[in-house]
Every structure is written in structure tokens, then in C-alpha cells.
């Protein structure tokens, strides 16, 4: 147990150390830097912010300018004016260092490359039936809510973006429909109200976009952006399916909401200067919600451009939802951990796509697949089985079925076993097919455990879990006449247990601040059906010439837009709610038990998950509509949180620019932020055995409401809540309470529990995590 504790703490320290490292570059090469300026410091002699920014650049570049450099304005690739103030500019390392010393310059951030975190869910989440006369029907005023989706663009011809019956575009919308290759003004409508592209940072880093191979317009070549946008707010489409799988009506979480597509991702990635410009523009355009299914590396709050930009968006009342990342099941693998961001992990639904492997021994193994092609294996015929690996636990290029590693003489006419890893899952099947194999069994490794993700394979193929995979490989290696066949069983509903936390979903604790529990919630992110690009096949491989209108994808990229769409519905129902109020409603009404009434399981270990895996729990939209109480947080409160993070005055200015904020020191610790989750950390100093945290709740239920508290018992601490009852006499009344934790038996691993306020109708639940740092 002690060994586990050391490993856990080592991981946290490793990530923190990594966050402080910056690679050295050639001092003469110009790179993109994001320059944040203190807007109020602009001298009156300048007529515009851009003129001032240009002057600052000129002061540090005039000595190093060489022939052909052009004007200083040419160095500027973006000017930011809304959620962020400053520019993105091409500078050498030496110029960036000099500029950082200039008056009025708050911070210099190097360009970062972010990556994408890659039908039944409305029913599973209780948002059906579509014709319902309930508050969730299309008669909600969600037509006024606009969701900005930062992604790979949009495929406007998809039926999911049909605007039939929608009211005129809301008056508060100030955005535009940018045109470009294969994207015209008419591609925007009352559903897609705006579309923009951001590529200056990308081109500065990688060179000009090849417009023959890639759309330099809002059109989505990749499919990811179309899928996420349709999940957020897609119009209902009857008969949606992927090659017959998942047949039904596809619709977004908020089918009446509007979509604004901001294309920030290209073939080579998504660059921070482009993302920052998109957030800045979206805030000015008038979005109410931002859905961002991408993430970068580890950075401190003051050096994370997305954290800084979304702080500015939050100040403007915009709810921001981001994917947690696909780094699970490793601990401390989260991205997008700032408390003003709603960080979303992934879970399964009660729908599956089973497929069987029938071995020559007569034994049947259940896996999953989305295969639907002309090639089918006869169920009553057995085919030779081949595995090119060994009994060793480590994989090799042949066992991974990497390009060029399979000998046609060894695999022709056989079902080939391939280990997961290194190359895309579907691409392994293409390698098998090219080598003459007739089918594939895709086996999980220890890293993937028993979690099964369905894929739209190019030949008959079934994915199986690690334990079953090991048994099948042993059979193939020890029996020269090993055989098998594959059968595909279509779509199955009512799967139990569900939901289950996806193994790939990134896990806590929060490496920047353990006192802020992350992820916040989990939502459906496994095998999600939504609209797709007409440019690529469902496998996204160049060799896949199939074209589909809907595709099934998995990732926290898919869970994030579920939460964005639900947030749009909550914003429509409660226009006056702040981003923090919406997050609180989602968190305090989330559930932590599956459809078998057992605790939510972790797919990676087939054991109960913890708040480091599922946060506050799985979203419950109907309950979130009427949470009873909310934990509200204002922009200044978040700034006070930053004041507890040992940031310098200059680093704090990064977040204080909008309202000239300063520290009032209202929080005694980061755990005192009025967060809906409670994480208490006992320090290395063993003399500190009592810690007290404070919370304030706002009554958004009936004016006269009386709540009493129930707290989980813990082994390591006693917990006292004061007062134990909250008696409200009016709506929007605020009442405070404090929670005192007293150590009685320090534990070597974190302890998990919960605090619930009950009034007979509402259950307002906060997860609790108690951690003891080992003595120094």
C-alpha cells in the first residue's frame, strides 16, 4: 500500500516538474509567441491598441530585423481584443525575452500544439421522447442559445444541420459566415449561424496549407467537428445509422440551439494562437456556450493560453466545456483542469455492438464490432488462426500488425490476431487484408484492460478484452491446428451494467491543484452516433472508400459536446444563471450508481470507480434542470483562488486584465473556493490535524425550503458540518456552512465519500476526497 502511495505522489510530482520544462530552440529562428498586454497601460498618444502593440514589437525587433523581414505589422498574425488582450507575433527567442521586459507586457506564451480528444444518448439521458410536451421539448427558448464549437469545421449538408422550423437568428448574434473553398454564404442558415476559420498560427508553424488537399474554409474534411457539433445541437434525423448499426433518430442534446463553427484544427494539429483567436472572436460574436474537445500539454495556469482565454470568456458569462483527455486509465492524466472550465470525462451507454469469436475448441468469446461489408465468414466453417507474436508479454511489430510486418505466406486465408497499440485499430485490419488474411481478432493489452471500443472495420474483425485475448493467443501458439470464426450480432440495447467509466477517459487527481477535484462529471463518450463528413470513410483511412452520413466515434471529444448541449438547455431555461451555476447544477445532481444500482464501475479494472475517475458522477439532465441549491462562483472568486496558487503579481495580471482585479485574500486555502466538489488535503506537517472548509449555497428552488445534511463516514477523519440544517425563506437567498475535518487515523491513500443536502425533493450532492500528504 505504501508503494502505491509513493507511486501516486511520484506521478503528481513528475507532472508538476514537466510543466516547468521548456525546450530550448535556435535563437535565430522566428516562432509564434502569444503576447498579452495590459490594456489600461496604453499611452494616450496611441490611437488604437494595434498601433501600440506594433510599436512595442518595433522596439525589440528593429535591432534584429534583416532584409526581407517586412513591416513589424507583418510579424503580427493575430490581434486579440475580447477574452484576451494582445497579439500573436513571429519573434526570435531573444526578441521574446526582450519584449517580456517592456512596460505593459503582461506575459509571453510560446505557441502550443493541441490535439483533438477523439443517437442513443438523448434517450439514455432522459431527453426523449422527441414529441414530449415537457420542458425539454423544442418549445423551450433554446433557439436563443448559441454554442460555439472549436474543432475541425462543419459539413453543412448533413441533415443534422437542417434549419426547418427554426426562428430567425437571435439579435444578439454578431458573427459572420466566412467563405472559402467549397463553403459559401448559403451554407450558413438558422441552425449554423456562423462559421469562421483560424489558420495563421498553423501556417506560421507548418507552412502554407495545401488547398488542393485541405479545405482552407469552414468545411470539415476530418469529420470530428461535424460529429461534435451535431452532438451538441443537431436537428432530429429519423433513420440515422452507421451501415445498419445504431438505427434510430439522431438528435443533439439541444436540437433547438444554434451552432457557430470555429475551425481551429488542421491536418497537423490545433495551434494555441488560432484557438485563442477563436475564443476571443466567439465571445465578441455572442456565443453563450463554448464546446472545446481538444487539449494540450501540462502548463501552469498562467502559462496555459486556453485557461487564460476561457477565464476571459467566463468573465463575459460564457459557459465553457472541455474534454478531459484520453490519457486514462493512468492517474494524473487530465487536461483542461482550470476550475472555471467544466472538464468532462467519458462513460458508456446501455447500447452495444456485440460480435462473437467461436474457437475450434467450441468455446465462444464475446467482443464488439461495427463490421458491415461484403466479406463475411461462414459461421459453420472454421478458419485457420494465426498470431505472429510470442508468449512474451511485450508486443512486437508483427504482433501489432504494423505496416509491412505480416508475411502473406503465413497469414493468407487465416484469421489474424493483432495486439492493440502504436497504429490505429482499423489500420491493423487493412494490413491483415493486404497480406491476404480473411479476418482479424483485435486483442486489448494490459493498458486497455477489458474495455471494448467498436470500430467500423475494413474486413471481418472483432475486438476482445485483454484476458480473453491472452487466452486466444495462447490457443493459437500452442495448437498448430487452431481455428476460429467470427459472427456479428448487430445492435443490442439495455446493456447492464451501464454507464461505466471508459478506460481511456483521463483521470485525476488534478496535477495543478489537488484541492480542485477533476474531472467535474462524466457523460456518454463511447460508441456515439452523430453526423459525419462526406469527405472520408467511417474509418478515416485513405483506403476506405465507403461514404456514410453518420459515424460512431469514441473519446472524451464525444462526451464534451453532450455537456455543452445540456448546458445550452439549462441556459435556455435559466437565462440568468452564471457559468458556475450551470456547472453546479450538472455536478450536484449527477449520479454515482449504474442501472444495476451498484456504484459506477471503472472499465479498466472492472471495479468501482472513484471521484478521480468520474468526478461528481454521471450527468442527469432532468435533475439538473431543478437542482434545488447551487454553488455559485463569481469571476473575482476564481481570481481569489488564483491568489492562493503562489503566482507572482505579474502572473496574476494575466487573469486580472479585464476588471483590473487584485487579491482581497478572501480564501484561506484553494479548497475554500465555493466549488461543488470538496477536496481536503492534509499537509506534510503532521501537527495540523484539523482543517475547515467553507461553502455558500444559493436557493433556486421553492422560496421556503428546509435542508438537512448527510455525510459519508470516513475511516481517517471525523466530519462535522455547521450548521446541520439550512432554512431558506426566499428564492435566491444565500446561506453558508462550514465543514471541519479532524484526523483520527491518517490513510496512505485518498478516501472518498460525499455530502448531501436533502429537503425531501432535492438531493444536492458534493463528492468529498480526503488526502494525506506523507510527512517530509
Amino acid at each position: 500500500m505504501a508503494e502505491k502511495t509513493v507511486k501516486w505522489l511520484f506521478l503528481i510530482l513528475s507532472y508538476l516538474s514537466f510543466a516547468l520544462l521548456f525546450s530550448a530552440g535556435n535563437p535565430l529562428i522566428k516562432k509564434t509567441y502569444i503576447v498579452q498586454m495590459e490594456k489600461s497601460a496604453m499611452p494616450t498618444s496611441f490611437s488604437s491598441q494595434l498601433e501600440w502593440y506594433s510599436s512595442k514589437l518595433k522596439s525589440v525587433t528593429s535591432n534584429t530585423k534583416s532584409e526581407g523581414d517586412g513591416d513589424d505589422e507583418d510579424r503580427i498574425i493575430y490581434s486579440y481584443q475580447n477574452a484576451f488582450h494582445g497579439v500573436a507575433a513571429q519573434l526570435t527567442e531573444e526578441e521574446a525575452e526582450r519584449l517580456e521586459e517592456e512596460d505593459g507586457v503582461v506575459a509571453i506564451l510560446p505557441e502550443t500544439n493541441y490535439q483533438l480528444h477523439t443517437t442513443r444518448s438523448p434517450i439514455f439521458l432522459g431527453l426523449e421522447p422527441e414529441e414530449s410536451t415537457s420542458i425539454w421539448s423544442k418549445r423551450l427558448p433554446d433557439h436563443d442559445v448559441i454554442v460555439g464549437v472549436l474543432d475541425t469545421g462543419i459539413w453543412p449538408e448533413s441533415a443534422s444541420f437542417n434549419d426547418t422550423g427554426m426562428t430567425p437568428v437571435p439579435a444578439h448574434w454578431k458573427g459572420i459566415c466566412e467563405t472559402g473553398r467549397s463553403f459559401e454564404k448559403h451554407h450558413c442558415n438558422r441552425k449554423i449561424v456562423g462559421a469562421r476559420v483560424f489558420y495563421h498560427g498553423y501556417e506560421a508553424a507548418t507552412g502554407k496549407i495545401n488547398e488542393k488537399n485541405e479545405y482552407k474554409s469552414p468545411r470539415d474534411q476530418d469529420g470530428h467537428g461535424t460529429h461534435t457539433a451535431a452532438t451538441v445541437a443537431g436537428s432530429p434525423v429519423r433513420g440515422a445509422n452507421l451501415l445498419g448499426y445504431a438505427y434510430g433518430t439522431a438528435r443533439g442534446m439541444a436540437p433547438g440551439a444554434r451552432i457557430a463553427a470555429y475551425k481551429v484544427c488542421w491536418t497537423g494539429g490545433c495551434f494555441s494562437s488560432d484557438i485563442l483567436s477563436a475564443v476571443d472572436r466567439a465571445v465578441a460574436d455572442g456565443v453563450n456556450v463554448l464546446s472545446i474537445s481538444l487539449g494540450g500539454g501540462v502548463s501552469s495556469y498562467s502559462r496555459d493560453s486556453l485557461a487564460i482565454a476561457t477565464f476571459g470568456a467566463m468573465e463575459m458569462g460564457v459557459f465553457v466545456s472541455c474534454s478531459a483527455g484520453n490519457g486514462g486509465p493512468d492517474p494524473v492524466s487530465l487536461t483542461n483542469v482550470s476550475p472555471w472550465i467544466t472538464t468532462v470525462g467519458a462513460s458508456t451507454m446501455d447500447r452495444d455492438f456485440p460480435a462473437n469469436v467461436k474457437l475450434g475448441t467450441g468455446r465462444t468469446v464475446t467482443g464488439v464490432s461495427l463490421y458491415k461489408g461484403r466479406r463475411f465468414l461462414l459461421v459453420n466453417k472454421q478458419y485457420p488462426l494465426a498470431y505472429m507474436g510470442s508468449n512474451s508479454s511485450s508486443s512486437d511489430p508483427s504482433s501489432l500488425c504494423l505496416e509491412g510486418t505480416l508475411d502473406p505466406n503465413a497469414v493468407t486465408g487465416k484469421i489474424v490476431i493483432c495486439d492493440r497499440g502504436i497504429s490505429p485499430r482499423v489500420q491493423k485490419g487493412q494490413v491483415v487484408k493486404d497480406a491476404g488474411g480473411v479476418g482479424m481478432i483485435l486483442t486489448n493489452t494490459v493498458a486497455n484492460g477489458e474495455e471494448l471500443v467498436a470500430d467500423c472495420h475494413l474486413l471481418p474483425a472483432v475486438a476482445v478484452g485483454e484476458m480473453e485475448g491472452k487466452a486466444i493467443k495462447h490457443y493459437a501458439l500452442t495448437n498448430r491446428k487452431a481455428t476460429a470464426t467470427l459472427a456479428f450480432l448487430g445492435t443490442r440495447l439495455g446493456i447492464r451494467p451501464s454507464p461505466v467509466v471508459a478506460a481511456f477517459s483521463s483521470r485525476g487527481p488534478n496535477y495543478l491543484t489537488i484541492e480542485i477535484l477533476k474531472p467535474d462529471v462524466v457523460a456518454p463518450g463511447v460508441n456515439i452516433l452523430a453526423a459525419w463528413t462526406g469527405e472520408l470513410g467511417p474509418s478515416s483511412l485513405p483506403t476506405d472508400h465507403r461514404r456514410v452520413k453518420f459515424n460512431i466515434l469514441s473519446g472524451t471529444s464525444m462526451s464534451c459536446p453532450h455537456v455543452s448541449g445540456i448546458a445550452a438547455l439549462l441556459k435556455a431555461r435559466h437565462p440568468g444563471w452564471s457559468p458556475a451555476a450551470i456547472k453546479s447544477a450538472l455536478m450536484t445532481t449527477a449520479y454515482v450508481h449504474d442501472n444495476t444500482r451498484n456504484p459506477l464501475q471503472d472499465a479498466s479494472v472492472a471495479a468501482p470507480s472513484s471521484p478521480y475517475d468520474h468526478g461528481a458522477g454521471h450527468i442527469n439532465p432532468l435533475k439538473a434542470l431543478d437542482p434545488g441549491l447551487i454553488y455559485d462562483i463569481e469571476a473575482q472568486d476564481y481570481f481569489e483562488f488564483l491568489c492562493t496558487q503562489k503566482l507572482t503579481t505579474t502572473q496574476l495580471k494575466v487573469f486580472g486584465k479585464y476588471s483590473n482585479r487584485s487579491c482581497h485574500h478572501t480564501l484561506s486555502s484553494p479548497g475554500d473556493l465555493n466549488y461543488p466538489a470538496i477536496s481536503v488535503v492534509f499537509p506534510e506537517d503532521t501537527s495540523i490535524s484539523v482543517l475547515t472548509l467553507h461553502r455558500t449555497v444559493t436557493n433556486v428552488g421553492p422560496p421556503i425550503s428546509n435542508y438537512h445534511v448527510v455525510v459519508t463516514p470516513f475511516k481517517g477523519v471525523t466530519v462535522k458540518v455547521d450548521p446541520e440544517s439550512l432554512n431558506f425563506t426566499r428564492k435566491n437567498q444565500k446561506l453558508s456552512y462550514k465543514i471541519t475535518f479532524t484526523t483520527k487515523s491518517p490513510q496512505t491513500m485518498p478516501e472518498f465519500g460525499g455530502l448531501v443536502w436533502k429537503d425531501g425533493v432535492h438531493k444536492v450532492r458534493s463528492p468529498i476526497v480526503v488526502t494525506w500528504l506523507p510527512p517530509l
Side-chain angles (χ1 to χ4, degrees), residues 218-291:
R219 182 166 291 279
D220 179 18
Q221 188 162 316
D222 180 272
H224 192 277
T226 298
H227 199 280
T228 55
T231 302
V232 169
S235 302
V237 181
R238 298 183 187 277
N241 67 92
L242 170 60
L243 305 175
Y245 288 99
Y247 187 92
T249 297
R251 61 186 284 268
M253 299 299 100
R258 323 291 182 141
I259 296 164
Y262 296 86
K263 186 173 179 177
V264 296
C265 295
W266 306 86
T267 303
C270 326
F271 284 77
S272 55
S273 59
D274 296 326
I275 295 167
L276 193 55
S277 185
V279 173
D280 191 62
R281 191 65 256 168
V283 170
D285 286 347
V287 302
N288 306 105
V289 174
L290 277 172
S291 188

Side-chain angles (χ1 to χ4, degrees), residues 171-243:
H172 76 268
W173 177 244
K174 302 293 187 289
I176 62 170
C177 190
E178 289 187 11
T179 59
R181 181 182 158 212
S182 298
F183 203 94
E184 305 298 333
K185 292 285 186 186
H186 71 268
H187 286 124
C188 290
N189 56 18
R190 293 181 177 186
K191 168 61 71 175
I192 304 172
V193 296
R196 293 181 184 269
V197 291
F198 301 85
Y199 52 79
H200 296 309
Y202 177 75
E203 287 193 332
T206 66
K208 291 289 183 183
I209 291 169
N210 185 333
E211 295 191 49
K212 290 182 179 179
N213 299 332
E214 192 165 7
Y215 291 109
K216 200 172 181 178
S217 75
R219 182 166 291 279
D220 179 18
Q221 188 162 316
D222 180 272
H224 192 277
T226 298
H227 199 280
T228 55
T231 302
V232 169
S235 302
V237 181
R238 298 183 187 277
N241 67 92
L242 170 60
L243 305 175

Side-chain angles (χ1 to χ4, degrees), residues 119 121-122 147 149 151 153-155 158-162 191-192 220 223-237 250-255 257 259 291 528-533 549-551 558 561-562 565:
T119 52
S121 48
V147 182
V149 181
D151 217 296
I154 198 161
W155 192 262
S158 171
S160 293
F161 308 125
N162 187 322
K191 168 61 71 175
I192 304 172
D220 179 18
H224 192 277
T226 298
H227 199 280
T228 55
T231 302
V232 169
S235 302
V237 181
R251 61 186 284 268
M253 299 299 100
I259 296 164
S291 188
I528 304 301
L529 180 80
W532 189 242
T533 176
K549 294 182 178 178
F550 291 84
N551 200 6
M558 284 62 252
H562 279 83

Side-chain angles (χ1 to χ4, degrees), residues 455-473:
D455 291 302
C456 200
H457 294 284
L458 293 162
L459 86 169
V462 176
V464 299
E466 190 259 339
M467 291 175 64
E468 293 289 12
K470 192 181 291 184
I472 295 171
K473 287 185 284 190

Side-chain angles (χ1 to χ4, degrees), residues 242-415:
L242 170 60
L243 305 175
Y245 288 99
Y247 187 92
T249 297
R251 61 186 284 268
M253 299 299 100
R258 323 291 182 141
I259 296 164
Y262 296 86
K263 186 173 179 177
V264 296
C265 295
W266 306 86
T267 303
C270 326
F271 284 77
S272 55
S273 59
D274 296 326
I275 295 167
L276 193 55
S277 185
V279 173
D280 191 62
R281 191 65 256 168
V283 170
D285 286 347
V287 302
N288 306 105
V289 174
L290 277 172
S291 188
I292 307 175
S293 288
L294 47 84
V298 177
S299 294
S300 63
Y301 295 116
S302 64
R303 297 197 69 82
D304 182 343
S305 59
L306 185 56
I308 297 164
T310 53
F311 187 96
M314 172 273 298
E315 286 182 301
M316 304 289 193
V318 177
F319 176 93
V320 181
S321 171
C322 290
S323 47
N326 298 336
D330 290 344
V332 207
S333 51
L334 290 160
T335 62
N336 301 320
V337 297
S338 301
W340 48 90
I341 290 172
T342 298
T343 310
V344 189
S347 58
T348 66
M349 293 188 296
D350 63 344
R351 179 180 67 193
D352 210 351
F353 308 102
N356 287 343
V357 178
K358 189 170 183 181
L359 301 173
T361 60
R363 185 163 174 267
T364 298
V365 174
T366 300
V368 298
S369 182
L370 291 168
Y371 176 70
K372 187 72 170 288
R374 289 190 293 273
R375 291 187 181 192
F376 267 99
L377 303 183
L378 299 174
V379 178
N380 56 0
K381 177 184 175 181
Q382 288 283 305
Y383 299 83
L385 198 56
Y387 178 55
M388 309 315 292
S390 66
N391 278 317
S392 168
S393 58
S394 60
S395 301
D396 59 51
S398 295
S399 72
L400 291 163
C401 299
L402 301 182
E403 195 77 41
T405 62
L406 297 182
D407 179 2
N409 294 321
V411 303
T412 297
K414 297 180 181 180
I415 294 174

